[in-house]
Amino acid sequence: MLRRKLTRYLCMASAMLVSPIAFATDPQNLNLSTSELRADTSGFAPRVAAVNGFREFTQSLLQHETQGLPGGFPLAIQDLQDLRGAVIGHGFQVYEANAQSLLAGQRLGESVKASGIWRFIVQIAGKPAGLLTVDHIDGAWQLVSMGAIEGSRELAAVHAYHTAKGNKPLRLIRVPQASSDFLEVSSGGSVRFAPLLGAREALQRYAIESVQNLTSESLLNETDFMPSIRQSIQHNLAQ
């Protein structure tokens, strides 16, 4: 059973985040460092599921895995004992943009809806080590996968950077048909977008001057990038 459970979680390891995500009002981070992996779940159902699922997974793994760290493990750790110090950090609700609405000219922020999925950053020794994905299935919130190590690092860095700059992260928005993710940010009284890796690659693919030399710290007006995103959607839908 443990191997089946681990295999299920490994399915996330190769998948980069994300769908549009809105930053939740985040209860205090949950430190799982005790042998009981205690958690102040604060009554927030997706977080409760993330904490309980991760606790179950960790306890089972530490009890039954005697061969050391399995190959292809979905979190960035050096030793299974590192899991004892895990902290469940910021949670993000995933929002997805409607491709047809975008192609029809609708604005990005108006085309999104909540997907029902939440992702939580797992921190090990103070560093992002992966994402936990929680979904609402059969009437209950469940931990369904973990992984996306690089995605967790970028998401944590982008969130920290813009928060430190006095900007307010709003939603993390995914455009699935363009393989693109954006962090929606309130900056200087206006809403702008920070492109994550997949979005930067999609935008730069079209060699439009206004979106070249992008980094995760870049903030774009929607008019800067939507023509490229629409081209990417059209190209991918035609495949």
Side-chain angles (χ1 to χ4, degrees):
M1 177 179 292
L2 176 62
R3 284 297 182 183
R4 289 199 301 271
K5 189 177 297 183
L6 179 58
T7 299
R8 182 182 61 181
Y9 292 150
L10 284 171
C11 292
M12 176 67 177
S14 61
M16 177 58 185
L17 216 265
V18 327
S19 305
I21 292 169
F23 282 83
T25 301
D26 203 31
Q28 183 177 4
N29 288 350
L30 306 179
N31 193 323
L32 307 184
S33 59
T34 70
S35 60
E36 295 295 324
L37 294 175
R38 291 175 304 148
D40 170 18
T41 52
S42 304
F44 181 46
R47 178 175 289 276
V48 172
V51 171
N52 289 344
F54 190 73
R55 178 195 296 117
E56 177 188 356
F57 172 76
T58 298
Q59 290 179 334
S60 181
L61 190 63
L62 292 173
Q63 180 179 356
H64 297 289
E65 182 58 64
T66 60
Q67 303 301 315
L69 185 66
F73 196 75
L75 301 177
I77 61 174
Q78 300 299 315
D79 187 276
L80 289 177
Q81 296 302 317
D82 294 342
L83 295 173
R84 295 187 182 277
V87 173
I88 307 301
H90 290 289
F92 309 89
Q93 187 178 10
V94 176
Y95 286 77
E96 291 191 356
N98 183 285
Q100 296 303 324
S101 295
L102 292 178
L103 292 178
Q106 191 171 31
R107 296 177 63 86
L108 178 60
E110 297 171 351
S111 74
V112 303
K113 65 177 182 179
S115 69
I117 293 173
W118 286 79
R119 290 197 171 108
F120 295 88
I121 295 175
V122 180
Q123 293 182 323
I124 304 289
K127 297 180 180 180
L131 294 169
L132 305 183
T133 299
V134 173
D135 199 356
H136 197 256
I137 301 172
D138 296 331
W141 291 99
Q142 301 178 36
L143 175 63
V144 296
S145 64
M146 63 180 69
I149 294 171
E150 293 304 320
S152 73
R153 290 169 176 167
E154 181 176 40
L155 189 55
V158 172
H159 174 262
Y161 173 80
H162 287 293
T163 299
K165 296 284 285 186
N167 300 328
K168 182 180 179 181
L170 300 175
R171 294 180 293 188
L172 182 60
I173 297 176
R174 157 155 278 214
V175 186
Q177 292 80 2
S179 302
S180 297
D181 306 303
F182 297 89
L183 177 60
E184 184 184 55
V185 175
S186 176
S187 173
S190 62
V191 173
R192 302 169 73 191
F193 298 87
L196 301 184
L197 179 59
R200 296 198 302 273
E201 292 176 345
L203 294 174
Q204 292 168 344
R205 189 174 302 127
Y206 291 93
I208 294 178
E209 184 176 354
S210 62
V211 295
Q212 295 306 296
N213 302 314
L214 295 175
T215 71
S216 59
E217 298 174 359
S218 301
L219 276 181
L220 301 174
N221 294 316
E222 184 169 340
T223 53
D224 293 331
F225 64 83
M226 279 311 301
S228 295
I229 291 299
R230 290 188 175 101
Q231 288 183 54
S232 181
I233 292 173
Q234 290 173 330
H235 174 80
N236 291 333
L237 290 178
Q239 297 301 303

